[in-house]
Amino acid sequence: MDVFTAVAEPSRRTLLDLLADGERSAGELVASLPALTQPAVSRHLRILREAGLVEVRPDGQRRIYTLRPEGLAELDDWLARYRRYWTRHLDSLERHLADTRTPTAERTDQS
Amino acid sequence: MDVFTAVAEPSRRTLLDLLADGERSAGELVASLPALTQPAVSRHLRILREAGLVEVRPDGQRRIYTLRPEGLAELDDWLARYRRYWTRHLDSLERHLADTRTPTAERTDQS
DNA sequence: GGCATATATACGCGTCAACGAATGTACAGT
DNA sequence: ACTGTACATTCGTTGACGCGTATATATGCC
C-alpha cells in the first residue's frame, strides 16, 4: 500500500500521531485506540510498516514500534508543488526550519 | 470525502497536478486522462470539489476548474508535526520559500 | 425547434479495504 | 511441561469505492 493510501485512514494517522511522541509497544497502541480490537490495530501497524512509516523492534514478547518519518517524505515532496500557492504559516515554517536544520547542514543538492 | 482520502487516489492527484499548471476545462482534463472515461473524470472532479480542493466556474457550456490550494492546508498542517523529523531537502525547501514568499517581509535569517 | 457538444448523474457490477471472531505463534514465568 | 501474556494471522462478511454504460441536463448553433 502506498503512503498516500496508508495515511488516508484516520486510525492510522492516530497511530502515527501517538508514535510521534515516542516509541510505543503494540499493546500500548491497542489501549490508545479503544474503538478497535487488537487484531485491527495489529493490521494497521502492518500496513504502516509495509508503507515504510514505522519500524518494529522485538523486546521479549513485546513489539516496540517507532516512527519512521522519512516515509512521509514522498507525501511532502508531492505537497511541495502546491505549497507555493498558499502563504499561510510561511513565516513560522521558515523559522521552524531555521531552528531544526541539522548541525551538519549538507548542501549536496543540485545547483 | 475528506482531503486525505481525496488525495489518496492517483487519478485525482494527476488532476490536481494538471490544475497546478493553470485552470482547465473539464474536457481538457478528460483528454489528459486517456485511461478514464468522461464520467469517471467528472466524478473525480466532483469529489475534489466537495473536498474543497478545486473550484468550478461555468463558461458557456464548459466548466472551468481551478485549483484551490488552501484545501491542502489541512494536509500540510498534519504533516508539519512530522516535518521536524527528517532533514531531506530542507535546503531546497528553504530556497524555494525564499524564492516564492510574498514580496513583503524579507527575513534572510539563514546562517 | 432541432441537433450537436459539453458535462453531470443514475445504475449495476466487480474489487478491495476494514472489521470482529477465532486461531496461531512466540516468549515468560513457574 | 504448562499456563498466561503479547502479538500476529486467517477467515468470512460487510460496506465503500471506482469503473463503464446508459441517460439526463444544460448550452450553442443553425
Side-chain angles (χ1 to χ4, degrees):
Chain A
M1 186 175 298
D2 71 296
V3 175
F4 287 88
T5 309
V7 160
E9 226 287 327
S11 298
R12 287 197 286 265
R13 285 201 299 280
T14 301
L15 288 170
L16 293 176
D17 289 343
L18 288 165
L19 292 175
D21 287 337
E23 59 182 31
R24 296 275 192 280
S25 72
E28 289 173 320
L29 295 172
V30 169
S32 298
L33 285 146
L36 294 184
T37 61
Q38 176 267 320
V41 175
S42 183
R43 282 188 300 260
H44 282 310
L45 288 170
R46 173 144 88 122
I47 288 169
L48 290 174
R49 175 163 36 85
E50 289 173 355
L53 296 175
V54 303
E55 280 177 350
V56 206
R57 158 171 53 91
D59 174 32
Q61 52 184 340
R62 312 214 173 150
R63 303 291 182 106
I64 309 297
Y65 282 84
T66 53
L67 189 66
R68 201 178 152 278
E70 321 90 63
L72 290 169
E74 183 188 348
L75 215 167
D76 193 64
D77 288 348
W78 178 79
L79 203 60
R81 179 184 171 94
Y82 301 93
R83 196 141 30 225
R84 66 188 302 275
Y85 290 113
W86 79 87
T87 55
R88 203 157 77 79
H89 293 154
L90 268 198
D91 282 299
S92 63
L93 172 58
E94 189 173 13
R95 252 179 280 119
H96 178 78
L97 288 173
D99 287 348
T100 60
R101 47 187 312 113
T102 66
T104 54
E106 72 284 3
R107 296 232 19 173
T108 55
D109 266 332
Q110 73 275 22
S111 84
Chain B
M1 188 175 296
D2 69 296
V3 175
F4 288 89
T5 308
V7 160
E9 225 286 327
S11 298
R12 287 196 284 266
R13 284 202 299 279
T14 302
L15 287 170
L16 293 176
D17 288 343
L18 287 165
L19 292 175
D21 287 337
E23 59 183 29
R24 296 275 192 280
S25 72
E28 290 172 321
L29 295 171
V30 169
S32 299
L33 285 149
L36 295 184
T37 60
Q38 176 266 319
V41 175
S42 183
R43 282 188 299 261
H44 281 311
L45 288 171
R46 173 145 87 124
I47 289 169
L48 290 174
R49 176 163 33 88
E50 288 173 356
L53 296 174
V54 302
E55 280 177 352
V56 207
R57 159 170 52 91
D59 173 33
Q61 52 184 339
R62 312 215 172 149
R63 302 291 181 107
I64 308 297
Y65 282 84
T66 54
L67 190 65
R68 203 178 150 277
E70 320 89 64
L72 289 169
E74 182 188 348
L75 214 167
D76 192 63
D77 288 347
W78 178 81
L79 204 60
R81 179 185 173 95
Y82 302 93
R83 195 139 34 222
R84 65 188 303 276
Y85 290 113
W86 81 87
T87 56
R88 199 159 82 82
H89 292 153
L90 271 197
D91 284 296
S92 64
L93 172 58
E94 190 170 14
R95 253 181 280 116
H96 179 78
L97 288 174
D99 288 349
T100 60
R101 50 185 309 107
T102 58
T104 61
E106 295 293 328
R107 278 180 57 96
T108 66
D109 57 356
Q110 59 193 19
S111 54

